[in-house]
Amino acid sequence: MITKEEHEFFIQLHLTESCNLKCKHCYQTGVLADEMSYQEIKALINEASGMLDEWSKIYNINFKRGFNITGGEPFLRKDFQDIISETSAKGFDIYILTNGTLISRDSAKMLSYYMVKGIQISMEGPQGTHESIRGSGSFDAALRGAGYLLDEGLTVTFNVTLSKLNDKYIEEMIETALSSGVQRIGFARLVPSGRGAVLLDKMLDKERLKAIYKKILSMKLKGLEIVTGDPIASQLSIESPELPDGFVPMGGCAAGLSGLTILPDGIILPCRRLPLPLGNVREDSLREVWAVSPVLEQIRDQFSYKGKCGSCSRWSICRGCRAIAYAYSKSMNNDDFLAEDPQCFI
């Protein structure tokens, strides 16, 4: 009996550029967009659902289909619940990415009602560090929001953006996660783009980054999963003979291989932090963009890559972080999204 292969495919949908915080490292530029209406977003959800249904039949693939819904701050959209409802009705797993400060008991109950799979809340360190990056009052508000979600039985991940602004507080970050009761803590790297472009000098050097990830890998924790979507960290985990209980490596760079990003005005990107427009859902077919985009074709072709990434034997399970490679190359006046990952320590 032939069983269907399973493949992950997600849409990261940015509902709005509006946000109640002004974080130092944000990938946004502060320019508001002509946001899609609810009807346009509904059409996008329907198109994505139909596309995956058709692919599943043609290629005999089971898709683990998801929508990562974010902003800006997604809770600022007045039709947020309607969008969640429509996405749920089409059978997508729903994940919410938020700063956590606007979550109320009622909104937590709503997310529970629609069986949202997980909520990621940005957390940058102990209170002083977190608020130096995200603003006064944001720490307690995020913890309060996380508490409401946990009360409803939802899965919460604290997500930490690693840089020189907070790299000394790994233990404190993990202790905050443990004491708050969240189930997961994730680590990602600073991408110096958008408002965060001025923080180029706050990127960690590769040896410091390696030391941090080794430290994280060595921790033995009960009741807390450590996760990362960082392709570099996942390569380090391959070298570890014994992984700690609860560590979940997430594989290589997803841009152009397992998902797409849609901006509030409908622009399609390979990744939110990789600002290379592929089309616009107001005018272009998702499946056509996925099939014929020259940018995606290059991302999928190792022979197009430069430097270490172009010759790396682990390319198929890593590819480096394309967003970091691009942002760093722009700072060097190269503008090359196929450049090597400047923080690779493998």
Side-chain angles (χ1 to χ4, degrees):
M1 180 179 178
I2 298 175
T3 58
K4 284 189 175 183
E5 177 185 353
E6 185 171 74
H7 185 76
E8 179 182 19
F9 191 93
F10 67 89
I11 299 287
Q12 181 152 314
L13 175 60
H14 292 256
L15 298 181
T16 180
E17 294 287 329
S18 297
C19 189
N20 59 315
L21 302 181
K22 285 186 167 44
C23 304
K24 288 181 179 179
H25 57 15
C26 186
Y27 47 72
Q28 293 179 242
T29 61
V31 178
L32 298 182
D34 174 22
E35 294 178 4
M36 289 188 288
S37 67
Y38 169 69
Q39 291 301 325
E40 287 175 311
I41 291 173
K42 182 177 178 179
L44 166 65
I45 296 167
N46 289 335
E47 181 185 4
S49 178
M51 177 180 73
L52 293 176
D53 286 345
E54 185 173 336
W55 285 354
S56 184
K57 291 176 184 176
I58 294 173
Y59 302 112
N60 199 40
I61 295 173
N62 280 324
F63 284 97
K64 185 180 178 184
R65 41 203 279 170
F67 257 76
N68 301 339
I69 299 179
T70 185
E73 176 47 53
F75 284 91
L76 289 173
R77 276 284 297 225
K78 293 181 179 179
D79 54 3
F80 183 49
Q81 181 171 344
D82 294 332
I83 294 167
I84 295 292
S85 176
E86 184 65 29
T87 310
S88 175
K90 289 298 179 182
F92 286 96
D93 289 341
I94 301 172
Y95 299 87
I96 309 297
L97 287 63
T98 172
N99 62 45
T101 62
L102 300 181
I103 297 170
S104 65
R105 289 194 184 278
D106 286 343
S107 58
K109 288 180 185 296
M110 181 271 289
L111 297 180
S112 178
Y113 175 80
Y114 289 108
M115 295 184 288
V116 167
K117 290 288 186 179
I119 300 92
Q120 175 183 293
I121 294 178
S122 300
M123 186 63 64
E124 308 302 346
Q127 184 168 8
T129 301
H130 179 90
E131 296 193 352
S132 71
I133 295 171
R134 293 187 168 268
S136 178
S138 60
F139 184 80
D140 286 341
L143 287 181
R144 183 169 57 248
Y148 293 147
L149 297 169
L150 293 170
D151 288 346
E152 296 300 323
L154 291 159
T155 300
V156 180
T157 302
F158 282 165
N159 188 67
V160 182
T161 300
L162 291 170
S163 72
K164 292 179 183 177
L165 299 173
N166 61 3
D167 66 312
K168 298 178 180 64
Y169 303 106
I170 303 300
E171 293 92 344
E172 288 88 341
M173 296 175 198
I174 290 175
E175 182 55 42
T176 297
L178 285 166
S179 63
S180 70
V182 302
Q183 298 93 335
R184 310 173 98 195
I185 184 168
F187 293 88
R189 287 181 276 159
L190 169 70
V191 180
S193 64
R195 192 180 297 128
V198 299
L199 298 178
L200 186 71
D201 64 336
K202 301 302 180 185
M203 291 178 67
L204 296 168
D205 66 60
K206 60 182 70 176
E207 290 307 316
R208 176 61 177 152
L209 184 66
K210 183 176 184 178
I212 288 173
Y213 278 136
K214 278 195 167 184
K215 183 179 208 175
I216 293 167
L217 282 168
S218 72
M219 292 182 175
K220 306 291 185 181
L221 304 170
K222 289 186 178 180
L224 182 68
E225 285 185 337
I226 297 178
V227 299
T228 177
D230 187 340
I232 300 300
S234 67
Q235 299 314 299
L236 183 61
S237 72
I238 292 171
E239 297 181 348
S240 302
E242 294 184 6
L243 294 179
D245 292 340
F247 181 79
V248 184
M250 303 298 282
C253 180
L257 280 96
S258 56
L260 290 169
T261 291
I262 313 296
L263 298 188
D265 59 0
I267 289 175
I268 307 168
L269 301 178
C271 163
R272 179 60 182 90
R273 292 166 174 80
L274 187 57
L276 301 171
L278 310 177
N280 191 302
V281 297
R282 284 169 159 162
E283 303 167 358
D284 302 305
S285 158
L286 275 181
R287 68 188 72 192
E288 183 176 353
V289 167
W290 186 258
V292 304
S293 164
V295 171
L296 296 184
E297 183 179 356
Q298 288 180 287
I299 287 175
R300 297 164 184 160
D301 175 19
Q302 183 175 7
F303 295 107
S304 298
Y305 283 61
K306 315 291 173 45
K308 286 176 63 177
C309 291
S311 58
C312 182
S313 62
R314 299 185 182 189
W315 177 88
S316 65
I317 54 172
C318 180
R319 297 174 297 281
C321 175
R322 291 302 93 215
I324 290 174
Y326 182 57
Y328 188 80
S329 75
K330 285 189 73 174
S331 73
M332 303 290 111
N333 297 314
N334 291 329
D335 284 21
D336 189 354
F337 65 95
L338 298 167
E340 69 177 46
D341 187 322
Q343 291 173 299
C344 177
F345 48 71
I346 300 302

